[in-house]
Amino acid sequence: MFYKSLPIKTFTFSFGYDIFIGNARFICRFLIKLFRADKGKEIIMLTIGCHLSSSKGYLAMGKEAVKIDANTFQFFTRNPRGGNAKELNPSDVEAFLAYAREHGIQRILAHAPYTLNACSADEHLRDFARRTMEDDLNRLEYTPGNCYNFHPGSHVKQGVEAGITYIADMLNQILKPEQSTTVLLETMAGKGSEVGRCFEELREILDRVTLSSHMGVCLDTCHVWDGGYDIANHLDEVIHEFDQVIGLKHLKAIHLNDSLNPLGAHKDRHARIGEGCIGKEALIRVVNHPALRHLPFYLETPNELDGYAAEIALMREHFLESNTI
Ligand code: FE
Ligand code: FE
Ligand code: ZN
């Protein structure tokens, strides 16, 4: 009798406790900011999370995010090396949507498998990228209004112009006017023949997509640094350049990573915040920048959950509360 009722009680308690803690944190943070903010200044709450494993479904990711004081998260839509996606579980999706509303979880970010290459020289691989992304976009409509990030691809000796043409063609085939998901091109480090190594290449892709209102850009701090944009010493100039070339209104998300390599290394090796060449202070300036602070930030640093919790706490501690944009 006793051992039968125990698991239920434990479950009820922990579920209730989770909701209580999550709500209390969210409401307290909002009230503190409301009282501290000067009149007439816009109140912005920091939206930050990290990459989470999607193996246990949406609700599990939502709970994990709340546990580490995140209010968003990123996840792979399927095995990062490609392959079949797990069957969607409608009751898990429903439970997550309710949980996200209750706990103030903001727009989440789906990440396409990083091995897809929409501009491969091999027609079968291009076709595989198109079908996989189309399937991902269909599935993402069950959690509407979020973003889907992908690596533009590698042109491998075909030249960047051919690469851009293939990528834009694919997007023109898979985007639908009625979709609610915004598709993001990620800024790349320029490793090998990666397309997206500079702002101009991303702009060129965006220019060729017909349904451009469904498109945006995700800026990865490690990648742009490796690509040669000095966000540690010239953040204002880099943001200005982004605005001139792409337009800040197209910037929808930031991947917040330190880099193991020096400026312009074209390597793409992420480091924990403060353990790389960009540095803690520079990344705190990124999070607080008036043109960026309203965006969602996603950590993709080499960490377990407790490491992510510490980095989220660090950024929350240093987030200035009443900046205006
Ligand atoms: Fe990525
Ligand atoms: Fe990234
Ligand atoms: Zn990377």
Side-chain angles (χ1 to χ4, degrees), residues 24-90:
R25 262 196 210 138
F26 179 66
I27 293 166
C28 283
R29 195 173 298 137
F30 184 76
L31 287 177
I32 287 167
K33 280 170 200 268
L34 196 65
F35 286 124
R36 281 200 200 156
D38 297 351
K39 274 221 160 68
K41 284 189 174 179
E42 192 169 347
I43 304 157
I44 294 169
M45 302 212 311
L46 176 58
T47 303
I48 189 165
C50 65
H51 189 96
L52 293 174
S53 162
S54 54
S55 62
K56 293 188 181 130
Y58 278 104
L59 182 61
M61 288 190 282
K63 287 185 174 182
E64 214 159 49
V66 167
K67 219 185 275 175
I68 58 171
D69 202 15
N71 50 352
T72 186
F73 58 87
Q74 176 180 265
F75 63 101
F76 282 127
T77 51
R78 58 187 75 214
N79 185 309
R81 280 173 289 282
N84 286 335
K86 258 194 358 200
E87 196 72 28
L88 267 188
N89 174 353

Side-chain angles (χ1 to χ4, degrees), residues 1-12:
M1 186 68 187
F2 172 71
Y3 79 86
K4 267 189 183 168
S5 64
L6 187 60
I8 298 169
K9 274 195 168 166
T10 311
F11 173 75
T12 313

Side-chain angles (χ1 to χ4, degrees), residues 98-168:
Y99 187 85
R101 270 193 305 274
E102 278 163 18
H103 291 79
I105 293 178
Q106 310 293 309
R107 256 187 167 191
I108 55 172
L109 180 57
H111 196 307
Y114 49 73
T115 49
L116 296 183
N117 189 2
C119 59
S120 167
D122 181 334
E123 192 189 330
H124 297 290
L125 293 180
R126 289 201 304 274
D127 197 52
F128 178 68
R130 182 184 55 75
R131 280 185 286 114
T132 304
M133 286 183 59
E134 193 165 33
D135 183 45
D136 279 350
L137 287 177
N138 288 335
R139 295 154 54 90
L140 287 171
E141 285 305 308
Y142 289 91
T143 48
N146 292 311
C147 290
Y148 178 57
N149 174 67
F150 79 107
H151 297 181
S154 296
H155 62 74
V156 200
K157 293 186 189 151
Q158 303 172 93
V160 69
E161 169 58 32
I164 287 171
T165 305
Y166 280 136
I167 296 159

Side-chain angles (χ1 to χ4, degrees), residues 146-321:
N146 292 311
C147 290
Y148 178 57
N149 174 67
F150 79 107
H151 297 181
S154 296
H155 62 74
V156 200
K157 293 186 189 151
Q158 303 172 93
V160 69
E161 169 58 32
I164 287 171
T165 305
Y166 280 136
I167 296 159
D169 283 354
M170 180 202 66
L171 289 164
N172 282 326
Q173 287 177 56
I174 64 173
L175 294 179
K176 297 187 178 77
E178 66 276 16
Q179 78 181 51
S180 69
T181 304
T182 305
V183 177
L184 307 184
L185 300 164
E186 183 166 350
T187 58
M188 301 310 293
K191 199 173 53 179
S193 63
E194 277 175 346
V195 179
R197 60 195 285 140
C198 60
F199 300 155
E200 284 78 3
E201 292 181 4
L202 296 183
R203 164 69 194 264
E204 196 60 38
I205 298 170
L206 292 177
D207 276 351
R208 297 187 197 187
V209 176
T210 312
L211 292 171
S212 55
S213 62
H214 292 324
M215 293 295 303
V217 171
C218 172
L219 185 147
D220 187 309
T221 54
C222 167
H223 296 179
V224 293
W225 168 264
D226 278 30
Y229 293 97
D230 189 355
I231 52 168
N233 304 296
H234 299 282
L235 180 61
D236 279 337
E237 289 91 328
V238 172
I239 290 172
H240 180 72
E241 190 172 339
F242 185 99
D243 195 28
Q244 293 295 303
V245 177
I246 299 178
L248 276 170
K249 69 171 196 285
H250 299 296
L251 184 55
K252 305 292 182 195
I254 307 275
H255 282 168
L256 194 66
N257 304 307
D258 213 326
S259 172
L260 279 182
N261 291 291
L263 179 69
H266 301 298
K267 286 272 175 48
D268 189 6
R269 301 272 315 278
H270 300 193
R272 294 191 186 105
I273 305 297
E275 294 184 13
C277 296
I278 303 174
K280 183 177 103 176
E281 297 308 321
L283 291 166
I284 289 172
R285 284 197 294 275
V286 167
V287 166
N288 277 300
H289 194 282
L292 310 178
R293 54 192 277 109
H294 63 288
L295 293 168
F297 294 89
Y298 302 91
L299 297 157
E300 299 175 310
T301 46
N303 270 311
E304 299 298 326
L305 220 51
D306 54 346
Y308 282 132
E311 291 184 343
I312 290 169
L314 176 83
M315 288 300 159
R316 290 206 183 283
E317 183 194 334
H318 289 91
F319 189 65
L320 303 172
E321 296 191 334

